[in-house]
Amino acid sequence: MASSPCSSGSNFDCGLEIKTRSVEQTLIPLVSQITTLINHKDKLKKSEKTLRAIQKVGQAVGVAVGRFVAVGEAIALENEELREEMGHACFEARRAGTAIAQLTDVCAVEQTEGISRCTVFNDKTAMVKAARMLLSSVTKVLVLADRIVIKQITSSRTRVLVTLEQLERVSTFQEFVQIFSQFGNEMVEFAHLTGDRQNDLKDEKKRARMAAARAVLEKCTMMLLTASKTCLRHPDCESARINKDAVFQRMRLALEQVIEIVTDARTSGEAKVLPISIYAGIQDFKARVEGLRDSLYCVSCEAIAVQLEALVEQTEDFTDSAYTSHERRESILQLCRITRQETQQLRATWRQDQQSLKAREVSEEMEVAILKTSQSVSELRRELHSVAVGRASEFLKLHSDHAVLQALKTAGGDGNLEVVADLARTLTEQREQLVETCRLLCHISGTEPLEITCIHAEETFHVIGPQIISAAQTFALHPNSKIAKENLDVFCEAWESQLADMAVLLKEINDVFDGRRGDKRAYLSLPRPGKHSANLKNVKATKLDAEELSTIAKLGLELRLLTSDVDSELERWEEQEHEVARLCGSMARGAYSVAFFTRGEGLLKTTLDLFHQAELLSEQGLQLCALLQSFSAQLLDEEKMLMMSETEKLAVSCQQLQGCAKTPVHGKSATFQKVDSCIQNTKGIMTVVASLLPLWHKLIRKCKSECSSVGSPPHWQDMQLSPPLKEEALNGKGSNGFGVKSLEEHMASLTFLESK
C-alpha cells in the first residue's frame, strides 16, 4: 500500500491505497488524535487534568466524525452508484466514533463509583479495535468521494471529445465559431479539473505525466483554432488538411493519457513502463557494488559484471551518435574500459575473499576494489552528463535566433516552394538532432519525473517539426492568406516555447546532478518582446560584463534569500491553488530568475530580458494589490488598517519598478544604473510580499474559522477573490487553465473573416 497516515502511529491499516494528498491530509489530524488516545501513559493515578484532556480529545473525534459522516451521506444521496458503499462506510464510521466517545468518557466513570464500564484505561484492545474501524471507514468514505472527482474529469473529457468531433466535421465559419465557443468553455472546465488533480496526486511520476499531457492540450488548443481556420479558408489544400489532422490526433492522444492517469488504467494494454535510464542503472550498479561490504556471501559479483555490460551497451546511444565529437566518443569508450577493468579486479578479489574461510569481514583489498569500481563508474556518469548537457546547451545557443523559422516565414510569404522545401530539410535535421539530444538527456536526468519531461520534449519536437513544414507549405501555396500566416506563426511559437522549456529542463537536470533540487514548480516563461514594454522594442539588448555582475552579486544573493523566504511561507499554505498562493509563487519565480541574472545564469540573458521580466513582475504585484484591497474590505478596523498599510507599500514598490522598467536609457553606465534600480525595486517588492504572506495566511484562516463556526465551511475556491482578468491570465500565465487567448477575441476575428 502507498505510504499514508493510515500506516503511521499505531500501525493502523485501512486496506486502501491513498493516491491523493487531499485524502492524506484529511486523515493526518484524525490519526494524530487517535494516536494520542492510544499512546497515553498507563498510570495508576490519573489527574483530573489528564482525564479532562482525554475526554476532550474523544469528544472532538466524535464531533468531527459526525460532521464528516453528514457530508458523506449527502454525497451518497447525490450519487446513486455509490449510495450503498458510501452508506455502509458512513455507518461504520459513525459506530466507531460513538465507541471512541464512550471509551474516552472517563470523567463520568470516575464520578460513578462501583460501576464497572470499559474505558480507554482498562480496555485498550477495544480502543484499538474502534480506532482501526474508524480509520478504515473514514478512509473508505474519502476514497469513494474521490471517485466523484474522477467521474467529473472523465465526464468533462467525454464532453470535450464530442465537441472535438463536431469541430472536425464543420464546413462553414459560422458553424465553427459557434462550436469552438462551446469547445473553449469545455476545455477551460477540463483544465481546472485536471489542474487540481495534478496538484493533488501523490505520485511524482503521475504528476509529471499529467503535466506533460496538459502541456500538449494547452499548445494544441491554439493550434487547433488556427489549423481549422486555415482548412476552412483553403478547403482544397492538402497540406492544410494534413496540418489540421495532426493537431486533432495529438489532442485525442493527450486526452486519453489524462484519463489513463486519473483512472490508473490503460485503455490499450498494460501500463507503460519507462525504459531504465543510464543514470538509474549506474545508481543501482553502485548500490550493489557497495552492498558487497555488508553482504559478502549473499551478493553475486558475477551478476554485477553482467549489469555493467548492460550499462556499457546503453552508452552506445552516446558513442554511436553522429553528433558526438570524436574526442568525446573516445573519452566515453576509455572510461567504459577502465570501469570494466576495475570490475574484473573486484570479481577477482571477491573470489579470493569467498575462498578464505577467515574472511568474515571485507578485506582491505576488497575495500580498495569497491572504491575504485564505484569511482570509475561515477566518472563515466560525469562524462555522459557533460556530453548530453553540453550538446543541448550548444544547440540552444547556436539556434537562439530561430533563423530557420524566420526564413520559412519569409519563403512562405514569397510563395517560394523550392526554398521552403530546402528549409524543411534543414528543420528536419534540427528536429532529429533535438530528438536524439532529448533521448540522451533522459539517460542522465537523475529523476523519473525529469525523465518523463525529457520524453515529452522528445515527442513534442518529433511531432511539431512536420507540422511546421506543412503549415509553411500551406502559406507558400497561399502567400496572401493572413490565416495561413497566422497558423505558421502559432506552430513556430510552439517550437520556440519548447526550446525555452528545454533550457529550464537543463537547469533542473544540472540541479539534480549537483545535489540541488531547487523549486519543483514550473518556472515562469519569459514575456515575449512586443507583448510588454512597447517602448523598449528599439532598445539594444546587452549583456553585463564580469565587473558589473560582481557589483550586483550581493544584491542578487539577498534577492534569492527573500525568494526562498516566500517559497517557504507558501509551503505552509494548505490551499496551494489559492489565487494568492499562485500569484505570489509566480512572482517568486520571476524574482528567482532576476537573482540568477545577477550571476550571469538562467533564462534572462540580456538587460532587455531583465526589463521585460521587471515589467511583468510589477504587473503581477499590482494584481496582488487588487486582491489585497478586495480582501481588506471584509476585515475589521485594526486588521483592515494593517492590511491597507501593507498594500500601499506594495503598490508604491510596484509602481517604482514599472516606471524604472519603462524608462528609456542610453549608454553603458545608464543601462547598468537601470539594471541596479530594477533589481533593488524587485527586492523591495519581495520584501513586502514576504511580510504580507504570513499575515494574509493568518487572516484567511481566521475568516474560515469564523465561517465554520456559523455553518459548514466553504470550499477554498469560495474564499477566493477574483480580480479583473488581464491579458496574462487569458494567456494562461498564473492560472490553472490552458494557455488560450481570449475566446471572445478569436470569435470576433472569425466573424470578421467570415464577412470578408
Side-chain angles (χ1 to χ4, degrees):
M1 191 182 78
S3 176
S4 71
C6 292
S7 58
S8 62
S10 299
N11 195 29
F12 302 116
D13 185 3
C14 59
L16 293 167
E17 182 181 2
I18 298 173
K19 299 175 182 176
T20 58
R21 293 172 176 176
S22 55
V23 172
E24 186 174 68
Q25 291 301 314
T26 304
L27 287 173
I28 286 174
L30 183 60
V31 172
S32 176
Q33 288 177 325
I34 290 176
T35 304
T36 300
L37 292 174
I38 292 178
N39 292 344
H40 69 274
K41 294 180 180 178
D42 294 323
K43 295 179 180 178
L44 294 175
K45 180 83 174 167
K46 310 294 188 303
S47 68
E48 187 177 344
K49 183 178 179 181
T50 301
L51 294 173
R52 281 201 307 270
I54 290 175
Q55 187 168 20
K56 187 176 180 181
V57 173
Q59 289 171 346
V61 170
V63 171
V65 170
R67 290 176 179 172
F68 178 81
V69 167
V71 175
E73 290 170 341
I75 292 173
L77 289 174
E78 294 173 2
N79 298 272
E80 188 174 351
E81 69 275 15
L82 297 178
R83 189 170 298 171
E84 186 176 346
E85 281 186 275
M86 183 70 85
H88 179 71
C90 288
F91 173 78
E92 292 293 323
R94 196 186 294 277
R95 190 172 69 163
T98 302
I100 288 174
Q102 291 174 350
L103 287 166
T104 54
D105 190 13
V106 290
C107 290
V109 175
E110 291 289 324
Q111 293 167 3
T112 311
E113 296 181 4
I115 299 177
S116 176
R117 188 162 68 81
C118 291
T119 69
V120 66
F121 296 124
N122 59 30
D123 193 352
K124 185 170 283 191
T125 302
M127 185 67 200
V128 170
K129 183 179 178 182
R132 286 187 175 180
M133 182 189 295
L134 179 61
L135 284 173
S136 177
S137 54
V138 166
T139 303
K140 188 164 187 180
V141 170
L142 289 168
V143 171
L144 288 171
D146 191 57
R147 285 192 202 168
I148 306 300
V149 177
I150 295 173
K151 181 182 175 183
Q152 288 175 338
I153 295 174
T154 54
S155 299
S156 177
R157 189 281 306 254
T158 302
R159 289 192 295 272
V160 169
L161 274 177
V162 170
T163 314
L164 195 65
E165 290 176 2
Q166 293 173 351
L167 273 176
E168 200 170 11
R169 294 194 302 265
V170 296
S171 56
T172 65
F173 266 103
Q174 185 176 3
E175 187 183 4
F176 179 76
V177 169
Q178 181 182 358
I179 297 175
F180 189 81
S181 178
Q182 178 187 345
F183 176 76
N185 292 331
E186 288 169 354
M187 282 300 289
V188 168
E189 178 195 5
F190 188 72
H192 283 288
L193 289 172
T194 54
D196 290 340
R197 188 66 177 182
Q198 176 186 324
N199 292 325
D200 199 24
L201 288 169
K202 287 173 60 183
D203 191 303
E204 284 191 350
K205 290 185 290 184
K206 288 183 180 178
R207 281 207 305 274
R209 288 182 62 213
M210 180 76 89
R214 293 180 74 244
V216 171
L217 292 171
E218 174 185 338
K219 291 172 182 174
C220 281
T221 302
M222 188 61 192
M223 294 174 186
L224 182 144
L225 175 61
T226 57
S228 297
K229 284 162 59 179
T230 305
C231 251
L232 287 170
R233 177 59 69 200
H234 309 290
D236 299 326
C237 183
E238 180 67 12
S239 57
R241 186 192 61 77
I242 292 172
N243 185 261
K244 171 191 162 186
D245 289 348
V247 176
F248 275 89
Q249 175 65 12
R250 197 163 182 233
M251 284 203 78
R252 286 193 177 93
L253 289 174
L255 287 166
E256 182 182 341
Q257 183 176 345
V258 169
I259 297 306
E260 287 172 3
I261 298 163
V262 169
T263 60
D264 205 23
R266 286 186 63 82
T267 56
S268 55
E270 298 179 358
K272 184 177 180 180
V273 179
L274 287 175
I276 297 176
S277 66
I278 291 178
Y279 174 87
I282 287 176
Q283 291 298 98
D284 187 48
F285 177 80
K286 286 179 65 177
R288 288 195 179 195
V289 168
E290 291 170 0
L292 289 170
R293 293 190 181 97
D294 304 319
S295 309
L296 188 61
Y297 296 97
C298 300
V299 178
S300 169
C301 211
E302 305 299 333
I304 291 175
V306 172
Q307 187 178 6
L308 175 63
E309 290 308 312
L311 275 176
V312 170
E313 186 177 341
Q314 283 184 297
T315 63
E316 291 174 3
D317 286 347
F318 290 77
T319 56
D320 291 352
S321 170
Y323 304 105
T324 302
S325 68
H326 176 72
E327 292 77 12
R328 289 291 202 179
R329 183 179 294 108
E330 287 301 314
S331 177
I332 294 171
L333 292 172
Q334 176 64 13
L335 286 168
C336 286
R337 284 193 290 270
I338 292 172
T339 307
R340 270 200 187 104
Q341 290 169 6
E342 297 299 347
T343 305
Q344 288 169 1
Q345 180 61 42
L346 176 69
R347 290 170 64 189
T349 309
W350 175 75
R351 288 196 193 99
Q352 290 175 5
D353 281 12
Q354 289 278 305
Q355 293 168 2
S356 174
L357 297 176
K358 297 180 180 179
R360 300 194 173 218
E361 296 181 358
V362 174
S363 64
E364 186 177 338
E365 292 80 5
M366 186 67 180
E367 180 65 32
V368 170
I370 289 172
L371 289 173
K372 284 188 174 182
T373 305
S374 294
Q375 184 179 357
S376 62
V377 80
S378 294
E379 288 293 331
L380 176 60
R381 178 204 164 195
R382 226 183 323 270
E383 180 65 18
L384 295 173
H385 175 90
S386 177
V387 170
V389 170
R391 273 209 8 210
S393 302
E394 184 180 350
F395 184 94
L396 292 174
K397 184 178 180 181
L398 187 62
H399 300 287
S400 60
D401 57 354
H402 309 297
V404 175
L405 300 182
Q406 297 302 325
L408 269 172
K409 293 177 185 178
T410 303
D414 294 339
N416 195 329
L417 282 168
E418 288 185 11
V419 175
V420 167
D422 289 339
L423 291 168
R425 285 190 286 272
T426 304
L427 185 66
T428 300
E429 186 179 342
Q430 285 188 12
R431 181 197 68 163
E432 290 172 357
Q433 190 173 349
L434 279 168
V435 165
E436 188 176 283
T437 301
C438 290
R439 202 169 296 142
L440 299 188
L441 287 174
C442 182
H443 270 307
I444 55 90
S445 56
T447 68
E448 286 186 318
L450 287 179
E451 285 178 25
I452 291 168
T453 306
C454 290
I455 292 170
H456 165 66
E458 178 186 338
E459 292 172 348
T460 301
F461 286 123
H462 183 77
V463 172
I464 290 184
Q467 289 179 312
I468 291 174
I469 293 169
S470 60
Q473 289 169 343
T474 304
F475 187 32
L477 289 168
H478 308 279
N480 297 321
S481 172
K482 291 183 178 179
I483 295 179
K485 181 181 183 300
E486 179 190 11
N487 188 47
L488 178 57
D489 287 341
V490 166
F491 282 96
C492 289
E493 283 180 12
W495 179 278
E496 293 170 12
S497 172
Q498 191 59 51
L499 285 175
D501 291 344
M502 191 172 176
V504 175
L505 178 61
L506 275 179
K507 183 203 172 296
E508 292 176 341
I509 289 172
N510 278 326
D511 282 349
V512 171
F513 184 79
D514 294 335
R516 306 187 307 269
R517 289 303 299 270
D519 187 359
K520 294 181 182 177
R521 290 171 290 190
Y523 287 83
L524 186 69
S525 298
L526 288 182
R528 293 197 184 102
K531 293 197 175 182
H532 300 280
S533 301
N535 59 326
L536 292 176
K537 285 182 182 178
N538 297 323
V539 177
K540 184 180 179 182
T542 59
K543 292 188 177 182
L544 300 185
D545 58 32
E547 185 179 349
E548 289 170 330
L549 286 173
S550 64
T551 305
I552 58 174
K554 183 183 177 185
L555 195 57
L557 177 60
E558 292 170 351
L559 185 56
R560 284 188 70 191
L561 292 173
L562 275 171
T563 306
S564 297
D565 290 343
V566 171
D567 282 338
S568 299
E569 186 60 41
L570 285 172
E571 290 293 332
R572 297 175 52 203
W573 282 55
E574 294 87 354
E575 318 294 357
Q576 289 294 312
E577 284 302 301
H578 195 288
E579 184 66 27
V580 177
R582 288 207 302 267
L583 195 53
C584 289
S586 181
M587 292 174 69
R589 293 190 289 278
Y592 189 73
S593 34
V594 171
F596 260 81
F597 174 81
T598 64
R599 296 166 51 183
E601 300 174 3
L603 292 175
L604 304 178
K605 303 297 183 186
T606 67
T607 53
L608 190 55
D609 291 339
L610 175 70
F611 301 151
H612 285 312
Q613 182 65 71
E615 190 173 350
L616 180 61
L617 188 66
S618 66
E619 289 177 6
Q620 291 173 329
L622 292 172
Q623 288 179 41
L624 190 61
C625 288
L627 282 172
L628 280 163
Q629 289 170 347
S630 300
F631 183 68
S632 299
Q634 306 174 28
L635 302 175
L636 300 175
D637 292 342
E638 185 177 346
E639 294 169 342
K640 185 175 183 178
M641 288 181 64
L642 181 59
M643 188 63 82
M644 290 302 290
S645 172
E646 294 297 320
T647 304
E648 187 175 346
K649 291 180 189 176
L650 181 60
V652 169
S653 296
C654 290
Q655 287 163 1
Q656 287 175 345
L657 179 59
Q658 196 170 59
C660 178
K662 289 184 175 181
T663 303
V665 292
H666 302 283
K668 185 176 180 181
S669 177
T671 300
F672 178 71
Q673 287 298 324
K674 180 176 177 178
V675 168
D676 185 66
S677 297
C678 281
I679 299 172
Q680 289 279 9
N681 287 321
T682 300
K683 178 187 167 187
I685 289 175
M686 297 312 295
T687 302
V688 179
V689 171
S691 63
L692 261 173
L693 274 174
L695 172 63
W696 202 334
H697 191 206
K698 175 185 174 184
L699 293 175
I700 285 177
R701 293 179 68 180
K702 183 179 178 183
C703 286
K704 280 189 175 183
S705 176
E706 290 172 353
C707 288
S708 61
S709 65
V710 176
S712 59
H715 191 271
W716 67 266
Q717 288 176 331
D718 300 331
M719 297 290 290
Q720 295 189 130
L721 301 158
S722 301
L725 286 177
K726 295 197 175 185
E727 184 188 356
E728 294 78 49
L730 293 171
N731 280 297
K733 295 187 179 79
S735 74
N736 205 20
F738 295 133
V740 188
K741 291 183 180 178
S742 169
L743 290 173
E744 292 81 2
E745 203 176 298
H746 291 308
M747 294 308 108
S749 66
L750 284 168
T751 307
F752 171 72
L753 287 166
E754 186 185 15
S755 64
K756 289 181 70 174

